[in-house]
């Protein structure tokens, strides 16, 4: 690929880290995690407009359900990243469980039109407790179903956990809205930048990716501590899910909807009614007793024609080679595939990481245990 030559004066930034990650959603934090595993925590700064703990309609990661599911596509890359994500989350659940807000939960998934493509072959050998449900046990209108042990995440709390553990590994966090993806290169020290800006990659100068579009999704939070398993139904033009939120006050996330190319972050009462009706039908325990509705919210999945962009771009600033790694477009899979995407993104920067390692006087390698 031909390098991009930056000749204009790049605005300066309050960091002199060798590595900058732009974005503190699950995608940026998973990159910070993957870098910390390799000992680069003290060389890394995460810069973002929104940080864990904030509440903002455009901060997608806050609004995730959130679990591992068959909602993703069945391309080779997607299946591979889902698999890596499953094993990463399973490890977190086993080793850090409550601290990381990730737990193992029984899950059932139904497809009205059958499991798409080669997904079944791609998942059956690694999902724990995996069973293909007998046809006679399936609800009316469902062609195939599976049960397995999934990983369920309390999304806002998990993001806060990641920030705390990354800070302990030497990662720095800075709140700033950047006006250009090249801004971090304003520091002479910054050699490597990861673009993890999600939906913002559509408009952000220096990226401006016209293949990006938001996919709106509404969820309804209810209080239903008696729900102890996840259940989903994938229909032709609908998607219904029930996901108990781990380590909460009995909150269950009901959904859902998918509205491509729709950036409306308002939540609508008729959609809430539809979600309540569909989830009551899907999960008999929800129908057995009245549940308190806590609120309805809409989030915007960062979708992209052709799937996520994980790509390297060489940048020459003042005659010096720098590296920009794009990592965005996770759509509805940022939590389940984020660690796999991060691993691919970090692998694309191997040459620059070796250079940073060879020139760094910092204590790279001293902070490797996540
Ligand atoms: C309703 C709903 C349910 C979902 N359920 C699931 C699920 O069950 N499982 C699953 O795996 N996924 C789920 N998802 C998808 C998941 O939430 C997304 O894939 C993921 O959150 C995308 O993360 P991100 O880091 O790319 O984006 P974001 O979380 O939006 O983060 C983007 C970051 O970039 C920063 N940024 C952007 N522009 C700039 C700038 N100019 N300067 C500085 N910072 C900037 C932002 O401030 C933010 O920190 C769901 C999504 C929705 C909406």
């Amino acid at each position: 690929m031909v390098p991009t030559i930056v000749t204009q004066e790049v605005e300066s930034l309050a960091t002199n880290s060798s590595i900058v990650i732009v974005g503190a959603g699950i995608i940026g934090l998973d990159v910070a995690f993957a870098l910390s595993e390799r000992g680069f925590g003290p060389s890394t700064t995460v810069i973002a407009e929104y940080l864990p703990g904030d509440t903002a309609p455009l901060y997608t990661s806050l609004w995730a359900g959130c679990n591992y599911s068959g909602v993703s596509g069945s391309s080779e890359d997607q299946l591979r990243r889902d698999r890596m994500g499953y094993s990463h989350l399973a490890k977190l659940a086993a080793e850090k469980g409550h601290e990381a807000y990730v737990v193992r939960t029984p899950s059932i998934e139904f497809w009205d039109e059958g499991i798409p493509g080669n997904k079944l072959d791609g998942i059956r050998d690694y999902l724990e407790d995996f069973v293909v449900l007998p046809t006679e046990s399936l609800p009316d209108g469902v062609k195939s179903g599976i049960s397995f042990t999934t990983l369920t995440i309390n999304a806002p709390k998990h993001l806060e956990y990641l920030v705390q553990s990354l800070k302990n590994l030497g990662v720095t966090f800075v709140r700033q809205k950047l006006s250009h993806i090249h801004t971090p290169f304003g520091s002479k020290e910054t050699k490597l930048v990861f673009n993890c800006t999600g939906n913002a990659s559509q408009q952000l100068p220096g990226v401006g990716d016209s293949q990006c579009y938001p996919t709106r999704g509404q969820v309804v939070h209810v209080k239903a501590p008696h729900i102890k398993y996840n259940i989903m139904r994938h229909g032709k033009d609908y998607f219904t899910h029930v996901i108990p939120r781990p380590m909460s006050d009995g909150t269950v996330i009901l959904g859902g909807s998918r509205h491509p190319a729709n950036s409306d972050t308002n939540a609508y009462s008729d959609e809430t009614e539809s979600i309540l009706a569909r989830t009551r039908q899907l999960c008999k325990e929800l129908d057995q007793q009245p549940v308190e509705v806590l609120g309805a919210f809409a989030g915007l999945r960062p979708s992209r024609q052709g799937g996520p962009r994980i790509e390297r771009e060489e940048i020459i600033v003042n005659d010096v080679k720098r590296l920009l790694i794009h990592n965005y477009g996770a759509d509805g899979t940022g939590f389940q595939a984020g660690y796999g995407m991060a691993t691919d993104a970090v692998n694309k920067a191997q040459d620059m990481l070796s250079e940073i390692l060879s020139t760094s006087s910092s204590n790279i390698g001293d902070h490797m245990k996540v």
Side-chain angles (χ1 to χ4, degrees):
M1 186 177 265
V2 183
T4 305
I5 310 225
V6 177
T7 48
Q8 84 267 27
E9 195 64 32
V10 277
E11 65 195 273
S12 67
L13 199 66
T15 175
N16 55 5
S17 285
S18 318
I19 306 170
V20 167
I21 298 166
V22 187
I26 188 62
I27 298 302
L29 297 179
D30 273 346
V31 170
F33 191 97
L35 286 167
S36 297
E37 283 182 315
R38 291 161 171 79
F40 288 97
S43 307
T44 302
T45 293
V46 177
I47 296 174
E49 180 182 11
Y50 302 121
L51 294 163
D54 295 348
T55 304
L58 297 180
Y59 190 18
T60 303
S61 297
L62 270 193
W63 309 110
C66 165
N67 69 3
Y68 169 102
S69 80
V71 77
S72 55
S74 41
S75 74
E76 214 175 285
D77 278 340
Q78 185 76 65
L79 291 171
R80 183 175 52 78
R81 290 175 192 144
D82 279 358
R83 185 187 191 112
M84 290 170 83
Y86 186 86
S87 99
H88 163 69
L89 291 169
K91 186 165 180 273
L92 270 185
E95 291 175 5
K96 307 276 179 183
H98 283 233
E99 195 191 331
Y101 290 87
V102 182
V103 299
R104 292 156 49 87
T105 323
S107 188
I108 299 169
E109 293 197 41
F110 297 128
W111 281 266
D112 290 3
E113 302 192 310
I115 303 179
N118 52 348
K119 186 171 269 297
L120 197 56
D121 293 335
I123 60 178
R124 68 189 320 153
D125 65 320
Y126 74 87
L127 292 184
E128 288 177 52
D129 310 311
F130 181 84
V131 174
V132 175
L133 299 173
T135 313
E136 59 277 13
S137 72
L138 302 176
D140 284 350
V142 169
K143 225 180 232 163
S144 48
I146 58 173
S147 69
F148 62 101
T149 295
T150 193
L151 283 313
T152 305
I153 304 146
N154 181 327
K157 289 291 185 190
H158 179 62
L159 298 175
E160 288 179 31
Y161 157 78
L162 284 176
V163 169
Q164 202 42 59
S165 44
L166 289 166
K167 281 183 178 171
N168 293 343
L169 293 163
V171 176
T172 304
F173 286 81
V174 171
R175 183 192 297 283
Q176 187 171 338
K177 180 174 182 176
L178 303 187
S179 56
H180 200 293
I181 197 62
H182 296 159
T183 299
F185 293 126
S187 159
K188 276 207 305 278
E189 308 298 324
T190 302
K191 296 180 171 142
L192 175 58
V193 172
F194 290 89
N195 167 26
C196 305
T197 55
N199 279 308
S201 283
Q202 186 179 22
Q203 302 283 350
L204 183 63
V207 192
D209 186 342
S210 60
Q211 286 166 287
C212 293
Y213 61 93
T215 297
R216 179 181 175 278
Q218 183 165 320
V219 287
V220 181
H221 291 197
V222 297
K223 193 155 190 163
H226 60 294
I227 305 297
K228 303 290 184 204
Y229 66 99
N230 304 14
I231 184 162
M232 303 201 166
R233 182 163 172 171
H234 308 267
K236 183 162 180 276
D237 46 20
Y238 69 89
F239 163 54
T240 304
H241 66 73
V242 176
I243 306 174
R245 174 162 273 181
M247 276 81 81
S248 70
D249 53 357
T251 298
V252 177
I253 316 293
L254 308 180
S257 59
R258 280 188 68 86
H259 300 123
N262 182 330
S263 55
D264 186 352
T265 54
N266 297 309
Y268 294 98
S269 58
D270 49 349
E271 222 171 301
T272 296
E273 288 309 316
S274 158
I275 289 169
L276 289 172
R278 282 185 279 128
T279 49
R280 270 192 216 111
Q281 202 183 10
L282 184 63
C283 176
K284 62 179 185 321
E285 290 84 353
L286 268 181
D287 205 22
Q288 278 163 358
Q289 60 190 78
V291 294
E292 182 191 350
V293 174
L294 303 171
F297 309 94
L300 305 177
R301 301 172 181 93
S303 307
R304 184 172 180 273
Q305 283 162 31
R309 180 180 180 203
I310 303 174
E311 208 171 281
R312 53 183 273 150
E313 192 182 341
E314 289 184 4
I315 310 275
I316 310 285
V317 188
N318 299 331
D319 296 330
V320 181
K321 191 180 101 180
R322 320 285 183 92
L323 194 57
L324 172 61
I325 306 284
H326 298 282
N327 182 20
Y328 59 83
D331 192 46
T333 68
F335 284 82
Q336 72 183 59
Y339 181 75
M341 288 172 67
T343 304
D344 287 354
V346 169
N347 285 345
K348 285 195 183 291
Q350 213 41 66
D351 53 342
M352 191 57 90
L353 289 172
S354 302
E355 195 180 316
I356 290 168
L357 194 57
S358 67
T359 55
S360 175
S361 55
S362 77
N363 45 348
I364 292 174
D366 291 352
H367 291 69
M368 293 192 56
K369 191 121 187 73
V370 177

